[in-house]
Amino acid sequence: MKPDLLLLIHVSPKHLEQLGTAFTVHYAPDAVRRAACVAAEGARIRAVLTNGSTGLRADEIDAMPALELLGALGAGYENLAVAHARARGIALFNGAGTNDACVADHAMALLLAVVRAVPALDRATRAGVWRNDLPLQPNFSGKRLGILGLGTIGRRIAQRGQGFDLEVGYHNRQPRADAPFRYFDSLAALADWADYLVVATPGGAGTRHLIDAAVMRALGPTGYLVNIARGSVVDTEALAAALRAGELGGAGLDVYESEPAPPAPLLDCPNVVLTPHIAGWSPEAIDASFNQFLANAARHAAGEPLLTPIP
């Protein structure tokens, strides 16, 4: 008999079928089905697959006494009740490494798009406006790229930046001994130095609104901000105010505090490029994440160490 899996995120029919080869799947990708499934099937659930945004609460864990395996699809796990699950002896893992390249690609796409005003130029071209009537955009290359969070994704962003002849600096809680890039011991110092600031730090209470009005003023009117991490890291109202006042050159956001609703304060702001939290989504990345989930589940069933345990 296959173990019961509670699936809390939207997946394609292909991946739903793939999960069904190893589990009896209870598909609950919205709040109504989620509550109903936990109430009706909680006693049978042995595994949960979610993601960092969707999470899993402590009270839901308590409603699943047989739960032994909790996985997050993707690297983030900020809304999982990790300590509560760990106290229960539940095995925890995430999808680290499955979409790093895709996210880094998207970060550079957003940065290029906002610095070179690609969406605005596309609209102008379609409206019949020729280049003589448009403001010039700065060179992208030869500038300073600051990265907040030099984890695996941050490193990949740095590598891509070097391909554009960008000088790379970063801020972490601690410097990386093996990183060849300049370390800044404060976010304020990094923002003051950088032309571009890319946010690649985890979400959660500890990083909420790290990017505030002061950081945006430090970046300045020729500086650009990109966030491919979590919407909570950037103060949306402060960003809107900075853009309207010309205190920041532009921003590219794949994540925002209001998601899945669009960030209303930014919709009429100049120099903003928005995408719908899709930086880590590609056919290759999604296939890799489901394959890794099934590999972790198989290792757990065999009593072997997980490939990507949550630290």
Side-chain angles (χ1 to χ4, degrees):
M1 181 180 294
K2 293 184 287 189
D4 288 67
L5 169 71
L6 176 60
L7 179 60
L8 297 178
I9 52 178
H10 286 277
V11 303
S12 69
K14 167 190 169 181
H15 294 112
L16 193 60
E17 182 178 356
Q18 183 182 14
L19 292 173
T21 63
F23 294 96
T24 298
V25 179
H26 303 273
Y27 189 36
D30 57 65
V32 173
R33 281 184 281 182
R34 175 173 174 160
C37 194
V38 170
E41 309 292 346
R44 299 168 49 192
I45 300 298
R46 291 175 54 194
V48 173
L49 179 57
T50 182
N51 60 28
S53 300
T54 303
L56 188 70
R57 302 191 308 271
D59 65 293
E60 293 173 317
I61 292 173
D62 289 340
M64 293 181 276
L67 183 63
E68 61 186 67
L69 185 66
L70 172 55
L73 206 68
Y77 52 87
E78 69 275 11
N79 289 321
L80 275 68
V82 169
H84 196 76
R86 190 166 280 133
R88 272 265 310 270
I90 296 167
L92 296 155
F93 63 91
N94 64 355
T98 57
N99 65 359
D100 297 346
C102 189
V103 174
D105 291 348
H106 198 84
M108 297 306 294
L110 283 173
L111 190 54
L112 279 160
V114 69
V115 172
R116 293 294 296 167
V118 173
L121 293 175
D122 175 80
R123 291 191 298 270
T125 303
R126 294 172 189 274
V129 180
W130 187 237
R131 65 188 183 190
N132 297 344
D133 299 315
L134 294 167
L136 292 176
Q137 301 305 128
N139 277 14
F140 181 80
S141 58
K143 303 295 178 62
R144 292 173 168 177
L145 170 62
I147 300 173
L148 175 60
L150 198 72
T152 307
I153 291 172
R155 286 176 184 268
R156 287 185 177 271
I157 293 168
Q159 291 165 354
R160 284 153 176 75
Q162 289 179 303
F164 285 95
D165 297 323
L166 301 180
E167 184 181 354
V168 178
Y170 73 99
H171 172 66
N172 271 355
R173 285 173 292 184
Q174 300 292 332
R176 301 282 191 185
D178 60 344
F181 313 116
R182 181 174 174 181
Y183 174 72
F184 290 81
D185 61 6
S186 74
L187 174 56
L190 177 65
D192 188 60
W193 171 85
D195 298 298
Y196 313 140
L197 180 62
V198 178
V199 181
T201 192
T207 58
R208 184 177 184 274
H209 287 187
L210 271 184
I211 308 298
D212 59 10
V215 171
M216 295 172 205
R217 283 194 297 270
L219 268 174
T222 60
Y224 295 86
L225 173 70
V226 164
N227 187 9
I228 45 75
R230 288 293 186 262
S232 59
V233 183
V234 174
D235 184 335
T236 306
E237 294 290 346
L239 176 58
L243 290 167
R244 290 196 181 97
E247 295 175 347
L248 185 68
L253 306 177
D254 185 55
V255 290
Y256 22 87
E257 295 180 276
S258 60
E259 62 183 62
L266 299 175
L267 296 183
D268 62 349
C269 284
N271 304 329
V272 178
V273 178
L274 301 170
T275 56
H277 201 154
I278 205 166
W281 286 34
S282 69
E284 299 90 342
I286 292 174
D287 283 348
S289 64
F290 277 95
N291 290 338
Q292 188 182 85
F293 169 76
L294 289 171
N296 271 312
R299 292 177 72 89
H300 173 74
E304 300 172 356
L306 299 175
L307 295 171
T308 52
I310 291 176

